[in-house]
Amino acid sequence: MIQLSDKINKLETSATLAMAAKTRELKAEGKDIIGLSLGEPDFNTPDFIKEAAVQAINDNYSSYTPVDGYVELKKAVQNKFKRDNSLEYDLNQIVVSTGAKQSLYNVASALLNPGDEVILPCPYWVSYKDIVMLNEGVPVEVKTDIEKDFKMTPQQLEEAITPKTKMIWYSSPCNPSGSVYTKSELEGLAKVLQKYPDIIVVSDEIYEHINFGDERFSMAQIPEMYDRTVTVNGVSKAFAMTGWRIGYIGAPEKIANACKKLQGQVTSGANCIAQRAVITALEAPIDKIQYMIDKFKSRRELILGLLKEVPGFECNEPKGAFYVFPNISNYFGKTIQDYKIENATDFSMFLLEKANVATVTGEAFGNPNCIRLSYAASESDIENAIDRIKNSLS
Ligand code: PMP
Ligand code: GLU
Protein backbone atom coordinates (compact mmCIF):
# COMPACT_ATOMS: atom_id res chain seq x y z
CA MET A 1 0.00 0.00 0.00
CA ILE A 2 1.58 3.28 -1.09
CA GLN A 3 1.36 5.99 1.56
CA LEU A 4 1.94 9.49 0.25
CA SER A 5 3.35 12.21 2.46
CA ASP A 6 0.98 14.39 4.50
CA LYS A 7 2.48 17.35 2.67
CA ILE A 8 1.41 16.01 -0.73
CA ASN A 9 -1.97 14.89 0.55
CA LYS A 10 -2.65 18.44 1.74
CA LEU A 11 -1.50 20.02 -1.53
CA GLU A 12 -4.23 21.22 -3.92
CA THR A 13 -3.86 20.60 -7.64
CA SER A 14 -3.23 23.92 -9.41
CA ALA A 15 -6.73 25.05 -10.43
CA THR A 16 -5.48 26.87 -13.52
CA LEU A 17 -3.55 23.88 -14.80
CA ALA A 18 -6.40 21.51 -13.85
CA MET A 19 -8.88 23.57 -15.86
CA ALA A 20 -6.46 23.68 -18.80
CA ALA A 21 -6.14 19.87 -18.64
CA LYS A 22 -9.93 19.48 -18.46
CA THR A 23 -10.33 21.77 -21.49
CA ARG A 24 -7.80 19.71 -23.46
CA GLU A 25 -9.62 16.51 -22.48
CA LEU A 26 -13.03 17.82 -23.54
CA LYS A 27 -11.62 19.13 -26.81
CA ALA A 28 -10.06 15.72 -27.49
CA GLU A 29 -13.53 14.20 -27.02
CA GLY A 30 -14.70 16.47 -29.80
CA LYS A 31 -16.39 19.13 -27.63
CA ASP A 32 -16.17 22.67 -28.90
CA ILE A 33 -14.78 24.37 -25.78
CA ILE A 34 -13.48 27.94 -25.76
CA GLY A 35 -10.63 28.07 -23.26
CA LEU A 36 -10.40 31.29 -21.26
CA SER A 37 -8.95 29.53 -18.27
CA LEU A 38 -5.19 29.43 -18.70
CA GLY A 39 -3.15 32.60 -18.35
CA GLU A 40 -0.90 32.18 -21.32
CA PRO A 41 -0.34 34.41 -24.34
CA ASP A 42 -1.84 32.96 -27.53
CA PHE A 43 1.10 34.38 -29.52
CA ASN A 44 4.08 32.43 -30.77
CA THR A 45 7.43 33.26 -29.23
CA PRO A 46 8.84 36.10 -31.41
CA ASP A 47 11.13 34.95 -34.23
CA PHE A 48 14.17 36.91 -33.03
CA ILE A 49 14.07 34.92 -29.77
CA LYS A 50 13.54 31.60 -31.51
CA GLU A 51 16.51 32.32 -33.75
CA ALA A 52 18.72 32.88 -30.70
CA ALA A 53 17.67 29.46 -29.39
CA VAL A 54 18.48 27.76 -32.69
CA GLN A 55 21.83 29.50 -32.69
CA ALA A 56 22.47 28.24 -29.13
CA ILE A 57 21.76 24.67 -30.19
CA ASN A 58 24.12 25.00 -33.15
CA ASP A 59 26.74 26.56 -30.90
CA ASN A 60 26.54 23.41 -28.77
CA TYR A 61 25.05 24.86 -25.64
CA SER A 62 24.23 21.53 -24.07
CA SER A 63 26.05 21.29 -20.74
CA TYR A 64 24.92 21.93 -17.20
CA THR A 65 24.55 25.63 -16.62
CA PRO A 66 25.78 27.65 -13.61
CA VAL A 67 23.22 27.07 -10.84
CA ASP A 68 22.14 30.72 -10.71
CA GLY A 69 22.24 31.27 -14.49
CA TYR A 70 24.79 32.16 -17.18
CA VAL A 71 26.66 35.31 -16.28
CA GLU A 72 25.60 36.87 -19.62
CA LEU A 73 21.97 36.27 -18.70
CA LYS A 74 22.46 37.64 -15.21
CA LYS A 75 24.00 40.76 -16.80
CA ALA A 76 20.97 41.05 -19.09
CA VAL A 77 18.69 40.74 -16.04
CA GLN A 78 20.78 43.34 -14.22
CA ASN A 79 20.41 45.76 -17.15
CA LYS A 80 16.71 45.03 -17.45
CA PHE A 81 16.18 45.90 -13.75
CA LYS A 82 18.10 49.13 -14.33
CA ARG A 83 16.31 50.04 -17.56
CA ASP A 84 12.74 49.15 -16.60
CA ASN A 85 12.65 49.50 -12.83
CA SER A 86 15.52 51.85 -11.88
CA LEU A 87 16.78 49.06 -9.62
CA GLU A 88 20.47 48.34 -9.14
CA TYR A 89 21.32 44.74 -8.34
CA ASP A 90 24.80 43.23 -8.15
CA LEU A 91 25.16 39.96 -10.04
CA ASN A 92 25.26 38.04 -6.76
CA GLN A 93 21.77 39.35 -5.99
CA ILE A 94 20.29 37.74 -9.11
CA VAL A 95 19.18 34.10 -9.45
CA VAL A 96 17.74 32.65 -12.66
CA SER A 97 15.30 29.75 -12.20
CA THR A 98 13.06 27.36 -14.10
CA GLY A 99 10.15 29.82 -14.25
CA ALA A 100 8.99 32.44 -11.78
CA LYS A 101 7.09 29.63 -10.10
CA GLN A 102 10.39 28.07 -9.05
CA SER A 103 11.71 31.49 -8.02
CA LEU A 104 8.72 31.86 -5.69
CA TYR A 105 9.14 28.34 -4.32
CA ASN A 106 12.84 28.99 -3.68
CA VAL A 107 12.07 32.15 -1.72
CA ALA A 108 9.42 30.41 0.40
CA SER A 109 11.74 27.52 1.11
CA ALA A 110 14.67 29.80 1.88
CA LEU A 111 12.78 31.90 4.40
CA LEU A 112 9.93 30.00 6.04
CA ASN A 113 10.06 28.07 9.29
CA PRO A 114 7.01 26.06 10.39
CA GLY A 115 4.24 28.39 11.53
CA ASP A 116 5.64 31.54 9.91
CA GLU A 117 2.82 33.62 8.45
CA VAL A 118 2.69 35.00 4.93
CA ILE A 119 0.20 37.77 4.21
CA LEU A 120 -1.59 37.25 0.90
CA PRO A 121 -3.88 40.05 -0.23
CA CYS A 122 -6.86 38.37 -1.96
CA PRO A 123 -7.29 37.70 -4.75
CA TYR A 124 -3.80 36.23 -5.01
CA TRP A 125 -2.24 34.12 -7.72
CA VAL A 126 -3.36 30.54 -7.40
CA SER A 127 -0.04 28.93 -6.42
CA TYR A 128 1.02 31.34 -3.65
CA LYS A 129 -1.04 29.65 -0.97
CA ASP A 130 0.10 26.14 -1.76
CA ILE A 131 3.75 27.12 -2.16
CA VAL A 132 3.60 28.71 1.29
CA MET A 133 1.87 25.66 2.80
CA LEU A 134 4.27 23.20 1.17
CA ASN A 135 6.99 25.06 3.03
CA GLU A 136 5.08 24.81 6.32
CA GLY A 137 4.14 28.47 6.30
CA VAL A 138 0.69 29.73 7.20
CA PRO A 139 -1.11 31.81 4.57
CA VAL A 140 -2.96 34.80 6.04
CA GLU A 141 -5.57 35.97 3.56
CA VAL A 142 -6.51 39.66 3.52
CA LYS A 143 -9.85 40.21 1.82
CA THR A 144 -10.02 43.20 -0.51
CA ASP A 145 -13.03 44.86 -2.14
CA ILE A 146 -13.88 45.30 -5.80
CA GLU A 147 -14.76 48.93 -4.90
CA LYS A 148 -11.11 49.43 -3.85
CA ASP A 149 -9.91 47.78 -7.06
CA PHE A 150 -9.02 44.67 -5.04
CA LYS A 151 -6.07 46.34 -3.33
CA MET A 152 -4.90 45.94 0.26
CA THR A 153 -4.91 49.15 2.26
CA PRO A 154 -2.21 50.10 4.80
CA GLN A 155 -4.77 49.65 7.56
CA GLN A 156 -5.63 46.13 6.40
CA LEU A 157 -1.92 45.31 6.26
CA GLU A 158 -1.37 46.61 9.78
CA GLU A 159 -4.29 44.56 11.09
CA ALA A 160 -2.98 41.37 9.48
CA ILE A 161 0.52 41.65 10.96
CA THR A 162 1.32 39.45 13.97
CA PRO A 163 4.61 38.54 15.66
CA LYS A 164 4.70 35.52 13.33
CA THR A 165 4.46 37.50 10.09
CA LYS A 166 7.45 36.69 7.92
CA MET A 167 6.47 37.89 4.45
CA ILE A 168 3.93 39.60 2.24
CA TRP A 169 3.37 38.30 -1.28
CA TYR A 170 1.50 40.09 -4.02
CA SER A 171 1.55 40.46 -7.78
CA SER A 172 1.29 43.84 -9.50
CA PRO A 173 -0.11 43.90 -12.18
CA CYS A 174 -2.19 41.33 -10.36
CA ASN A 175 -3.18 37.91 -11.54
CA PRO A 176 -6.22 37.61 -11.36
CA SER A 177 -7.61 41.12 -10.76
CA GLY A 178 -5.42 43.13 -13.15
CA SER A 179 -4.90 45.75 -10.43
CA VAL A 180 -1.68 47.73 -10.37
CA TYR A 181 -0.41 49.24 -7.12
CA THR A 182 0.54 52.89 -7.57
CA LYS A 183 3.70 54.44 -6.17
CA SER A 184 1.78 56.17 -3.41
CA GLU A 185 -0.13 52.99 -2.53
CA LEU A 186 3.15 51.08 -2.20
CA GLU A 187 4.60 53.92 -0.14
CA GLY A 188 1.56 53.65 2.13
CA LEU A 189 2.21 49.94 2.68
CA ALA A 190 5.94 50.59 3.14
CA LYS A 191 5.17 53.13 5.84
CA VAL A 192 3.40 50.46 7.87
CA LEU A 193 6.29 48.07 7.28
CA GLN A 194 8.81 50.57 8.68
CA LYS A 195 7.55 49.54 12.10
CA TYR A 196 8.25 45.87 11.34
CA PRO A 197 11.78 45.71 9.95
CA ASP A 198 11.95 41.90 9.77
CA ILE A 199 9.07 41.43 7.35
CA ILE A 200 10.15 40.58 3.78
CA VAL A 201 8.14 41.65 0.73
CA VAL A 202 7.84 39.46 -2.36
CA SER A 203 6.83 41.63 -5.29
CA ASP A 204 5.82 39.48 -8.26
CA GLU A 205 6.16 41.64 -11.36
CA ILE A 206 5.82 39.02 -14.06
CA TYR A 207 3.13 41.09 -15.84
CA GLU A 208 5.10 44.35 -15.67
CA HIS A 209 5.09 44.99 -19.42
CA ILE A 210 1.42 44.12 -19.79
CA ASN A 211 0.46 47.34 -18.09
CA PHE A 212 -1.99 49.70 -19.80
CA GLY A 213 -1.60 52.71 -17.53
CA ASP A 214 1.19 55.07 -16.50
CA GLU A 215 1.71 53.51 -13.10
CA ARG A 216 4.84 51.43 -12.85
CA PHE A 217 6.65 51.22 -9.59
CA SER A 218 8.43 48.48 -7.69
CA MET A 219 8.44 48.13 -3.93
CA ALA A 220 12.25 47.80 -4.03
CA GLN A 221 12.48 51.34 -5.45
CA ILE A 222 11.56 52.64 -2.00
CA PRO A 223 15.04 52.99 -0.42
CA GLU A 224 13.97 51.66 3.00
CA MET A 225 12.41 48.60 1.34
CA TYR A 226 15.24 47.64 -1.01
CA ASP A 227 17.09 45.50 1.54
CA ARG A 228 14.03 43.43 2.34
CA THR A 229 12.23 43.06 -0.96
CA VAL A 230 12.50 40.20 -3.41
CA THR A 231 11.56 41.28 -6.93
CA VAL A 232 10.29 38.33 -8.96
CA ASN A 233 10.00 38.41 -12.73
CA GLY A 234 10.19 36.18 -15.79
CA VAL A 235 9.70 35.97 -19.52
CA SER A 236 6.60 33.75 -19.72
CA LYS A 237 4.06 36.51 -20.20
CA ALA A 238 5.49 39.52 -22.03
CA PHE A 239 7.65 37.45 -24.37
CA ALA A 240 5.13 34.64 -24.93
CA MET A 241 7.59 32.09 -23.55
CA THR A 242 5.53 30.12 -21.03
CA GLY A 243 6.96 26.74 -22.01
CA TRP A 244 10.59 27.88 -22.02
CA ARG A 245 10.51 28.11 -18.22
CA ILE A 246 12.75 31.00 -17.26
CA GLY A 247 12.13 33.27 -14.28
CA TYR A 248 14.44 35.26 -12.04
CA ILE A 249 14.76 37.29 -8.86
CA GLY A 250 16.60 40.37 -7.72
CA ALA A 251 17.00 40.04 -3.96
CA PRO A 252 19.13 40.79 -0.92
CA GLU A 253 22.33 38.76 -1.34
CA LYS A 254 21.61 36.50 1.62
CA ILE A 255 18.29 35.42 0.12
CA ALA A 256 19.77 35.04 -3.37
CA ASN A 257 22.52 32.79 -1.97
CA ALA A 258 19.98 30.65 -0.14
CA CYS A 259 17.89 30.26 -3.31
CA LYS A 260 21.00 29.31 -5.25
CA LYS A 261 21.99 26.70 -2.64
CA LEU A 262 18.49 25.19 -2.73
CA GLN A 263 18.33 25.15 -6.51
CA GLY A 264 21.74 23.46 -6.64
CA GLN A 265 20.31 20.52 -4.74
CA VAL A 266 16.92 20.37 -6.43
CA THR A 267 17.04 21.22 -10.14
CA SER A 268 20.51 22.65 -10.92
CA GLY A 269 20.68 25.62 -13.29
CA ALA A 270 17.82 26.33 -15.71
CA ASN A 271 17.76 24.99 -19.28
CA CYS A 272 20.78 26.07 -21.36
CA ILE A 273 18.99 26.79 -24.68
CA ALA A 274 16.19 28.73 -22.99
CA GLN A 275 18.70 30.84 -21.05
CA ARG A 276 20.56 31.79 -24.24
CA ALA A 277 17.29 32.76 -25.90
CA VAL A 278 16.28 34.87 -22.91
CA ILE A 279 19.51 36.89 -23.13
CA THR A 280 18.32 38.01 -26.57
CA ALA A 281 14.77 38.62 -25.29
CA LEU A 282 15.87 40.81 -22.40
CA GLU A 283 18.43 42.76 -24.41
CA ALA A 284 15.86 43.69 -27.07
CA PRO A 285 14.06 47.02 -26.90
CA ILE A 286 10.51 46.73 -25.58
CA ASP A 287 9.28 47.96 -29.00
CA LYS A 288 9.86 44.44 -30.25
CA ILE A 289 7.05 43.04 -28.13
CA GLN A 290 4.77 46.09 -28.17
CA TYR A 291 2.47 44.48 -30.77
CA MET A 292 1.43 41.86 -28.21
CA ILE A 293 0.86 44.41 -25.47
CA ASP A 294 -1.26 46.52 -27.86
CA LYS A 295 -3.34 43.47 -28.70
CA PHE A 296 -3.94 42.65 -25.04
CA LYS A 297 -5.05 46.25 -24.54
CA SER A 298 -7.59 46.14 -27.35
CA ARG A 299 -8.85 42.77 -26.16
CA ARG A 300 -9.32 44.20 -22.70
CA GLU A 301 -11.59 46.90 -24.17
CA LEU A 302 -13.41 44.24 -26.13
CA ILE A 303 -14.10 41.91 -23.23
CA LEU A 304 -14.98 44.70 -20.79
CA GLY A 305 -17.47 46.09 -23.33
CA LEU A 306 -19.00 42.67 -23.95
CA LEU A 307 -19.23 41.81 -20.25
CA LYS A 308 -21.25 44.97 -19.62
CA GLU A 309 -24.03 43.28 -21.57
CA VAL A 310 -24.02 40.19 -19.38
CA PRO A 311 -26.49 40.65 -16.53
CA GLY A 312 -25.17 40.03 -13.03
CA PHE A 313 -21.46 40.45 -13.86
CA GLU A 314 -19.67 43.19 -11.94
CA CYS A 315 -16.10 44.03 -13.04
CA ASN A 316 -13.29 46.27 -11.89
CA GLU A 317 -11.26 47.81 -14.68
CA PRO A 318 -8.03 45.83 -14.92
CA LYS A 319 -5.00 48.07 -15.48
CA GLY A 320 -2.65 45.27 -16.46
CA ALA A 321 -2.12 41.50 -17.00
CA PHE A 322 -4.69 39.75 -19.21
CA TYR A 323 -7.54 38.75 -16.95
CA VAL A 324 -10.96 39.98 -15.93
CA PHE A 325 -12.25 38.92 -12.56
CA PRO A 326 -15.98 39.59 -12.44
CA ASN A 327 -18.04 39.19 -9.29
CA ILE A 328 -20.82 36.76 -10.22
CA SER A 329 -22.30 36.27 -6.75
CA ASN A 330 -25.65 37.58 -8.07
CA TYR A 331 -26.19 34.07 -9.37
CA PHE A 332 -25.66 32.27 -6.06
CA GLY A 333 -28.78 30.45 -4.88
CA LYS A 334 -30.26 30.39 -8.39
CA THR A 335 -31.03 27.38 -10.56
CA ILE A 336 -30.27 27.81 -14.27
CA GLN A 337 -30.99 25.05 -16.79
CA ASP A 338 -31.48 22.62 -13.86
CA TYR A 339 -28.02 23.57 -12.58
CA LYS A 340 -27.99 24.73 -8.97
CA ILE A 341 -25.43 27.47 -8.40
CA GLU A 342 -24.25 27.86 -4.81
CA ASN A 343 -20.76 29.26 -5.35
CA ALA A 344 -18.16 30.39 -7.89
CA THR A 345 -16.95 26.85 -8.51
CA ASP A 346 -20.51 25.78 -9.44
CA PHE A 347 -20.77 28.81 -11.71
CA SER A 348 -17.48 28.04 -13.46
CA MET A 349 -18.54 24.39 -13.94
CA PHE A 350 -21.93 25.57 -15.22
CA LEU A 351 -20.16 27.72 -17.83
CA LEU A 352 -17.98 24.80 -18.85
CA GLU A 353 -20.86 22.36 -19.21
CA LYS A 354 -23.67 24.59 -20.45
CA ALA A 355 -21.82 27.34 -22.32
CA ASN A 356 -18.72 25.33 -23.32
CA VAL A 357 -16.49 28.10 -21.97
CA ALA A 358 -13.60 27.31 -19.63
CA THR A 359 -12.94 29.83 -16.83
CA VAL A 360 -11.36 29.48 -13.37
CA THR A 361 -13.25 29.72 -10.09
CA GLY A 362 -12.33 32.65 -7.87
CA GLU A 363 -12.05 30.21 -4.95
CA ALA A 364 -8.63 29.24 -6.30
CA PHE A 365 -7.52 32.87 -5.92
CA GLY A 366 -9.00 33.36 -2.45
CA ASN A 367 -12.14 35.17 -3.62
CA PRO A 368 -15.24 32.96 -3.64
CA ASN A 369 -17.49 35.55 -5.34
CA CYS A 370 -15.65 35.86 -8.62
CA ILE A 371 -14.48 33.89 -11.63
CA ARG A 372 -11.44 34.58 -13.77
CA LEU A 373 -11.50 34.85 -17.55
CA SER A 374 -8.24 35.17 -19.46
CA TYR A 375 -8.40 37.42 -22.52
CA ALA A 376 -5.12 36.12 -23.89
CA ALA A 377 -7.30 34.64 -26.63
CA SER A 378 -8.32 35.64 -30.15
CA GLU A 379 -10.98 38.32 -30.64
CA SER A 380 -13.35 35.77 -32.16
CA ASP A 381 -12.90 33.39 -29.22
CA ILE A 382 -13.59 36.26 -26.82
CA GLU A 383 -16.70 37.34 -28.74
CA ASN A 384 -18.05 33.81 -29.07
CA ALA A 385 -17.31 32.97 -25.45
CA ILE A 386 -19.18 35.97 -24.08
CA ASP A 387 -22.04 35.30 -26.47
CA ARG A 388 -22.27 31.72 -25.23
CA ILE A 389 -22.14 32.85 -21.60
CA LYS A 390 -24.93 35.37 -22.22
CA ASN A 391 -27.11 32.80 -23.96
CA SER A 392 -26.59 30.15 -21.32
CA LEU A 393 -27.70 32.57 -18.61
CA SER A 394 -30.66 34.13 -20.40
N1 PMP B 1 3.35 34.73 -10.92
C1 PMP B 1 2.18 35.02 -11.49
C2 PMP B 1 1.38 36.14 -10.94
C3 PMP B 1 1.71 34.27 -12.58
O1 PMP B 1 0.54 34.56 -13.14
C4 PMP B 1 2.49 33.21 -13.06
C5 PMP B 1 1.89 32.40 -14.18
N2 PMP B 1 2.59 31.60 -14.85
C6 PMP B 1 3.72 32.95 -12.44
C7 PMP B 1 4.12 33.72 -11.37
C8 PMP B 1 4.62 31.84 -12.84
O2 PMP B 1 5.20 32.10 -14.07
P1 PMP B 1 6.30 31.16 -14.76
O3 PMP B 1 5.69 30.71 -16.03
O4 PMP B 1 7.49 32.04 -14.98
O5 PMP B 1 6.59 30.06 -13.81
N1 GLU C 1 0.00 31.74 -14.44
C1 GLU C 1 -0.91 31.18 -15.39
C2 GLU C 1 -2.31 31.22 -14.85
O1 GLU C 1 -2.52 31.76 -13.81
C3 GLU C 1 -0.46 29.83 -15.85
C4 GLU C 1 -0.89 28.66 -15.04
C5 GLU C 1 -0.02 28.34 -13.90
O2 GLU C 1 1.19 28.51 -14.00
O3 GLU C 1 -0.60 27.90 -12.90
O4 GLU C 1 -3.22 30.73 -15.46
Side-chain angles (χ1 to χ4, degrees), residues 122-172:
C122 302
Y124 47 75
W125 179 48
V126 61
S127 293
Y128 290 174
K129 187 174 169 184
D130 286 283
I131 290 176
V132 166
M133 285 166 56
L134 256 182
N135 287 287
E136 298 186 80
V138 179
V140 174
E141 301 187 9
V142 174
K143 307 285 170 210
T144 64
D145 299 324
I146 196 166
E147 291 76 26
K148 296 214 169 73
D149 198 20
F150 291 118
K151 289 180 197 164
M152 178 172 67
T153 63
Q155 191 188 341
Q156 286 179 307
L157 171 60
E158 179 109 54
E159 284 165 9
I161 291 173
T162 76
K164 285 189 163 293
T165 306
K166 180 81 190 197
M167 281 190 273
I168 299 161
W169 283 26
Y170 64 86
S171 59
S172 177

Side-chain angles (χ1 to χ4, degrees), residues 249-288:
I249 55 168
E253 190 181 340
K254 191 168 184 179
I255 298 177
N257 281 339
C259 291
K260 181 176 165 185
K261 183 163 75 167
L262 173 67
Q263 201 162 283
Q265 291 285 26
V266 180
T267 53
S268 303
N271 176 281
C272 54
I273 311 299
Q275 286 198 52
R276 300 314 298 184
V278 172
I279 297 171
T280 300
L282 293 183
E283 283 179 348
I286 296 303
D287 296 0
K288 288 244 193 189

Side-chain angles (χ1 to χ4, degrees), residues 192-346:
V192 173
L193 292 172
Q194 268 173 29
K195 287 180 257 170
Y196 307 94
D198 295 333
I199 297 178
I200 307 284
V201 174
V202 173
S203 170
D204 179 347
E205 305 181 6
I206 195 160
Y207 293 94
E208 71 162 331
H209 294 303
I210 308 168
N211 183 341
F212 313 123
D214 301 327
E215 291 292 346
R216 172 177 300 208
F217 194 75
S218 299
M219 186 61 103
Q221 283 179 267
I222 300 172
E224 305 78 49
M225 294 306 300
Y226 177 82
D227 283 331
R228 53 181 174 128
T229 298
V230 179
T231 308
V232 178
N233 211 321
V235 291
S236 284
K237 312 297 171 171
F239 296 92
M241 295 181 76
T242 49
W244 297 69
R245 312 303 306 125
I246 299 288
Y248 52 87
I249 55 168
E253 190 181 340
K254 191 168 184 179
I255 298 177
N257 281 339
C259 291
K260 181 176 165 185
K261 183 163 75 167
L262 173 67
Q263 201 162 283
Q265 291 285 26
V266 180
T267 53
S268 303
N271 176 281
C272 54
I273 311 299
Q275 286 198 52
R276 300 314 298 184
V278 172
I279 297 171
T280 300
L282 293 183
E283 283 179 348
I286 296 303
D287 296 0
K288 288 244 193 189
I289 53 165
Q290 191 62 39
Y291 66 98
M292 294 188 270
I293 298 163
D294 292 345
K295 266 277 185 234
F296 290 133
K297 184 161 195 253
S298 67
R299 290 168 181 179
R300 178 189 72 156
E301 312 311 326
L302 176 68
I303 198 165
L304 284 176
L306 293 170
L307 282 176
K308 282 202 184 105
E309 293 162 25
V310 185
F313 275 52
E314 192 196 347
C315 274
N316 65 319
E317 188 192 277
K319 309 289 185 305
F322 36 58
Y323 308 101
V324 281
F325 196 60
N327 182 318
I328 42 77
S329 59
N330 277 310
Y331 287 97
F332 295 173
K334 297 198 171 141
T335 301
I336 317 170
Q337 297 189 48
D338 296 330
Y339 208 108
K340 193 148 181 41
I341 292 169
E342 303 281 15
N343 52 46
T345 304
D346 291 345

